[in-house]
């Protein structure tokens, strides 16, 4: 049984050019459009294409992957620049990023260094209390984390295919690998479609919902020798492919519908460019992407990607605005280019030329020297935050901290007094019930009821109903409950409103179903008073859905809003 053909091993400058286009798209869309371009998906498919070819050559030539040497080779190319950027971003963040975000900085810095930033962001994306946090200057490391996890998974996958082919089934290696990659593709894209439909914010960062993008690149590497167009069709398909890549972020809401089947759009564009480049023509896309500026910039794309995002975040923080003018955006791109050039030439290239066999010990020492200051900086910031948060507020003078007296008595606070409590404690300044998971109804239709205040022989029972806008009244109500002897029954569903309609389509079906169940629960066991919100987003007019919900409680209880 014959095996698949072996692709011709050669330098492909058009791939470097394609990387340049994808990187510039990512930066341009972030800076001026404030949206996702689909360029990352192009990176994923190219990684699958290149790493599959490289690892397959290794295992066919040596009968083994040489995992340690493979990982060390990747580390000397990836770690130095990534760690330099990580350290720089952490230090600059201390001076530019508000203290309230420092805990977030610590968490994302560590996650980025250890290559699980995608999972950190996935958790934040579905955490109601974290999803509205300001963008982290480390946020772009999510794609590098997925690629890092891919680099660990792929050698094992290819060796398993090799072992099955040689030892178990006695089948051609490449055909067996194609079958394995096809299976991974089907399983992953099926999961991706399901997860994107059911929980898109999580799916966007989920490694398992992205593996199919790498596998399609690997499958394409095996099938490329059998794919060929005539010269005219190659010219057309190549330019169509690059056009598809460039327009994906404009035509599709990438950040809210990917990585389901729609991610096939930019990936198809990349594949069209690759197959068109197999049959080079005078005006083909490969000729354009091989022009000297593109491969040159392609060698800087890793650093360019690493630097562009924190520079954008620092600009937005310093300027206190999210919009970037054309002139300022060009300055950000110029600064990104300069930093990526310096970090590539001065930091990455010297280390990249160290031999993983003859200079293994030296290489490990050098990489450790890059890693150590990152861990020490993370530890130092973490210790500062911990110490600052643990300090008791102590006594305070009314003149320094008048609080509400500033409004009622006109007492102006003393200038220059430190805030109390510290801004580092701000994120933790939420009602205590958020620590009790059994009281939180987020993403559930079932009604959860938790009782607070005076729960034994209360004179009155008050139901606090709604999402976080209602929940923030809990601390005040708990103080009043002790004075006025009443019980508080909490009906909480964060991200939801106490309403029976949603004309703006801002609420989930789960929220609306929860509202129906809440009404039944309140009718079956009516409290003396329902306490909820009456306005929406600073509007003076009470939404009709709120009134409709309250009317269903007429004859059962009183509503206070």
């Amino acid at each position: 049984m014959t095996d698949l053909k072996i692709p011709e091993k050669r330098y492909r400058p058009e791939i470097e050019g394609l990387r340049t286009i994808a990187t510039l798209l990512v930066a341009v869309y972030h800076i001026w459009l404030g949206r996702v371009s689909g360029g990352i998906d192009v990176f994923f498919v190219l990684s699958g294409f290149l790493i599959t070819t490289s690892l397959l050559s290794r295992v066919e030539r040596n009968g083994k992957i040489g995992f340690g040497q493979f990982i060390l080779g990747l580390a000397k190319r990836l770690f130095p620049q990534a760690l330099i950027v990580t350290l720089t971003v952490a230090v600059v963040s201390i001076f530019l990023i508000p203290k309230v975000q420092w805990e977030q900085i610590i968490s994302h810095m560590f996650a980025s260094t250890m290559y699980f930033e995608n999972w950190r962001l996935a958790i934040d994306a579905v955490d109601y209390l974290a999803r509205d946090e300001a963008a982290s200057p480390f946020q772009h490391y999510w794609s590098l984390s997925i690629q890092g996890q891919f680099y660990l998974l792929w050698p094992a996958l290819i060796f398993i295919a090799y072992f099955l082919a040689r030892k178990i089934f006695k089948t051609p290696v490449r055909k067996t690998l194609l079958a394995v990659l096809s299976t991974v593709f089907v399983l992953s894209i099926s999961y991706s479609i399901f997860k994107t439909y059911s929980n898109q914010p999580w799916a966007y960062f989920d490694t398992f919902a992205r593996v199919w993008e790498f596998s399609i690149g690997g499958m394409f590497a095996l099938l490329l020798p059998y794919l060929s167009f005539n010269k005219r069709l190659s010219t057309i398909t190549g330019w169509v492919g690059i056009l598809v890549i460039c327009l994906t972020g404009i035509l599709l809401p990438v950040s809210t519908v990917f990585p389901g089947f729609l991610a096939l759009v930019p990936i198809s564009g990349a594949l069209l460019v690759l197959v068109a480049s197999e049959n080079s023509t005078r005006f083909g896309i490969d000729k354009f992407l091989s022009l000297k500026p593109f491969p040159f910039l392609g060698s800087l794309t890793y650093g360019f990607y690493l630097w562009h995002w924190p520079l954008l975040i620092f600009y937005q923080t310093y300027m206190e605005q999210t919009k970037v003018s054309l002139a300022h955006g060009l300055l950000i791109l110029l600064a990104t280019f300069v930093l990526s050039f310096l970090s590539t030439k001065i930091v990455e290239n010297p280390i990249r030329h160290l031999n993983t066999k003859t200079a293994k010990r030296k290489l490990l020492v050098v990489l450790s020297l890059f890693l150590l200051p990152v861990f020490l900086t993370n530890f130092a910031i973490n210790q500062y935050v911990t110490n600052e948060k643990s300090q008791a507020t102590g006594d305070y003078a009314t003149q320094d901290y008048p609080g509400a007296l500033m409004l009622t008595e006109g007492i102006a606070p003393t200038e220059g007094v430190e805030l109390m409590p510290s801004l580092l404690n701000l994120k933790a300044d939420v009602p205590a019930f958020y620590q009790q998971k059994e009281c939180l109804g987020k993403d559930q239709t079932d009604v959860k009821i938790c009782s607070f205040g005076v729960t034994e022989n209360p004179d009155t029972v008050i139901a606090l109903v709604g999402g976080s806008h209602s929940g923030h009244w809990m601390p005040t109500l708990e103080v009043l409950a002790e004075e006025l002897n009443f019980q508080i029954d909490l009906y909480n569903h964060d991200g939801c409103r106490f309403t029976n309609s949603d004309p703006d389509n801002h609420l989930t079906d789960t929220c609306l179903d929860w509202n129906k169940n809440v009404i039944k629960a309140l009718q079956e066991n009516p409290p003396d008073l329902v306490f909820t919100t009456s306005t929406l987003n600073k509007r003076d007019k009470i939404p009709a859905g709120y009134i409709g919900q309250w009317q269903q409680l007429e004859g059962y209880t009183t509503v206070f809003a």
Side-chain angles (χ1 to χ4, degrees):
M1 185 182 298
T2 59
D3 205 347
L4 297 174
K5 294 179 183 178
I6 299 176
E8 178 187 353
K9 191 173 182 180
R10 58 186 174 87
Y11 172 62
R12 303 190 60 155
E14 74 276 5
I15 290 183
E16 291 297 308
L18 188 55
R19 280 177 170 169
T20 299
I21 295 294
T23 305
L24 288 175
L25 283 173
V26 169
V28 166
Y29 273 70
H30 281 164
I31 293 172
W32 285 297
L33 302 181
R35 57 192 302 177
V36 179
S37 66
I40 295 300
D41 303 273
V42 174
F43 277 119
F44 287 167
V45 74
L46 289 178
S47 294
F49 178 87
L50 295 170
I51 295 299
T52 299
T53 303
S54 174
L55 290 176
L56 184 57
S57 297
R58 279 171 174 259
V59 77
E60 287 183 329
R61 183 174 61 251
N62 305 319
K64 61 181 181 178
I65 295 291
F67 183 75
Q69 188 177 341
F70 169 71
I71 292 299
L72 191 58
L74 285 172
K76 72 175 183 177
R77 181 167 59 89
L78 301 178
F79 282 11
Q81 280 209 82
L83 294 174
I84 283 292
V85 174
T86 300
L87 184 61
T88 303
V89 170
V91 172
V92 175
S93 294
I94 294 173
F95 297 98
L96 279 185
I97 301 297
K99 277 189 176 182
V100 69
Q101 292 177 239
W102 282 17
E103 271 193 292
Q104 177 195 19
I105 293 294
I106 296 167
S107 172
H108 287 271
M109 179 185 179
F110 185 76
S112 299
T113 304
M114 301 306 294
Y115 281 82
F116 64 89
E117 172 67 357
N118 61 311
W119 295 113
R120 174 72 269 166
L121 289 170
I123 293 170
D124 289 349
V126 298
D127 183 347
Y128 181 76
L129 294 178
R131 67 186 184 187
D132 290 328
E133 288 181 336
S136 162
F138 293 105
Q139 187 167 305
H140 62 315
Y141 277 80
W142 75 267
S143 62
L144 303 182
S145 296
I146 289 181
Q147 282 189 296
Q149 294 155 34
F150 157 74
Y151 292 140
L152 295 178
L153 171 66
W154 231 239
L157 191 69
I158 289 179
F159 185 76
I160 288 171
Y162 178 81
F163 180 81
L164 291 174
R166 290 292 173 86
K167 305 296 184 181
I168 307 296
F169 300 121
K170 310 298 182 183
T171 52
V173 173
R174 291 172 180 263
K175 286 185 177 179
T176 305
L177 178 58
L178 182 61
V180 170
L181 293 178
S182 299
T183 301
V184 171
F185 171 78
V186 171
L187 293 175
S188 177
I189 197 171
S190 298
Y191 170 76
S192 182
I193 292 171
F194 164 75
K195 200 66 178 178
T196 300
Y197 175 78
S198 61
N199 192 349
Q200 191 276 332
W202 177 280
Y204 193 85
F205 302 109
D206 189 334
T207 303
F208 304 108
R210 293 281 187 173
V211 169
W212 67 269
E213 300 186 65
F214 296 97
S215 64
I216 200 173
M219 292 160 58
F220 197 76
L222 296 171
L223 296 174
L224 190 58
Y226 299 89
L227 302 174
S228 180
F229 300 145
N230 61 45
K231 289 186 177 296
R232 177 175 295 180
L233 191 56
S234 290
T235 301
I236 295 173
T237 54
W239 285 102
V240 168
I242 206 71
L243 191 63
V244 167
I245 292 171
C246 293
L247 294 179
T248 294
I250 293 176
L251 300 178
L252 297 175
V254 175
S255 60
T256 58
V257 298
F258 276 37
F261 66 92
L262 282 174
L264 283 167
V265 175
I267 286 175
S268 298
L271 297 181
L272 286 176
V273 170
L274 290 176
V275 71
S277 299
E278 287 295 293
N279 191 3
S280 183
T281 63
R282 183 180 178 185
F283 298 105
I285 191 63
D286 61 303
K287 286 289 194 293
F288 174 72
L289 293 176
S290 299
L291 293 174
K292 285 186 178 181
F294 287 107
F296 169 71
L297 291 173
S299 67
L300 305 178
T301 53
Y302 182 55
F304 199 95
Y305 179 79
L306 284 169
W307 286 110
H308 91 280
W309 179 257
L311 287 179
L312 173 63
I313 296 301
F314 291 150
Y315 168 86
Q316 292 175 336
T317 303
Y318 182 76
M319 300 297 290
E320 297 183 350
Q321 60 183 31
T322 56
K323 298 294 183 180
V324 182
S325 67
L326 176 61
H328 286 182
L330 291 174
L331 287 175
I332 292 173
L333 288 178
L334 178 60
T336 301
F337 169 77
V338 171
L339 288 172
S340 61
F341 179 82
L342 293 175
S343 60
T344 300
K345 300 301 179 184
I346 298 175
V347 178
E348 179 187 318
N349 286 352
I351 299 172
R352 193 171 183 176
H353 289 112
L354 292 176
N355 192 292
T356 55
K357 292 182 179 179
T358 60
K360 181 178 180 180
R361 182 173 297 180
K362 181 179 181 180
L363 187 56
L364 288 172
V365 171
V366 170
L367 293 177
S368 298
L369 291 176
F370 275 94
L371 193 60
L372 185 61
V374 172
F375 280 137
L376 289 176
T377 302
N378 187 267
F379 176 78
I381 300 174
N382 187 50
Q383 283 297 109
Y384 175 84
V385 170
T386 302
N387 293 337
E388 187 85 1
K389 290 178 64 176
S390 64
Q391 292 179 2
T393 56
D395 297 329
Y396 58 90
T398 301
Q399 181 61 52
D400 293 335
Y401 301 100
L405 294 177
M406 183 176 178
L407 300 176
T408 59
E409 303 294 333
I411 301 176
T414 304
E415 292 186 7
V417 176
E418 287 289 331
L419 293 176
M420 187 179 67
S422 168
L423 286 175
L424 292 171
N425 285 309
L426 190 60
K427 284 177 58 179
D429 190 17
V430 294
F433 71 79
Y434 277 106
Q435 305 303 319
Q436 299 174 242
K437 300 299 181 184
E438 69 275 10
C439 299
L440 307 179
K442 176 65 178 170
D443 297 326
Q444 298 182 30
T445 58
D446 295 337
V447 177
K448 295 182 177 182
I449 307 173
C450 286
S451 297
F452 300 89
V454 179
T455 56
E456 294 184 9
N457 302 317
D459 294 334
T460 308
V461 176
I462 294 177
L464 179 60
V465 186
S468 60
H469 288 205
S470 296
H472 84 275
W473 286 99
M474 175 61 82
T476 300
L477 290 176
E478 285 187 292
V479 173
L480 293 175
E482 297 298 327
E483 296 180 7
L484 303 178
N485 195 45
F486 63 79
Q487 174 177 310
I488 310 163
D489 286 345
L490 176 69
Y491 297 73
N492 174 265
H493 191 297
D494 272 339
C496 193
R497 305 162 190 159
F498 190 44
T499 181
N500 65 359
S501 66
D502 180 31
D504 298 327
N505 294 318
H506 286 162
L507 306 179
T508 64
D509 292 338
T510 301
C511 167
L512 295 175
D513 289 340
W514 176 83
N515 266 286
K516 295 176 184 177
N517 293 334
V518 166
I519 286 295
K520 293 179 182 177
L522 292 172
Q523 290 174 341
E524 292 172 359
N525 187 24
D528 297 296
L529 180 73
V530 171
F531 193 105
T532 187
T533 54
S534 63
T535 57
L536 176 62
N537 298 333
K538 299 181 180 179
R539 300 176 191 170
D540 295 331
K541 185 177 179 181
I542 300 174
Y546 287 18
I547 297 174
Q549 195 78 319
W550 303 341
Q551 289 175 338
Q552 296 184 72
L553 295 175
E554 289 183 357
Y556 292 94
T557 184
T558 301
V559 176
F560 180 86

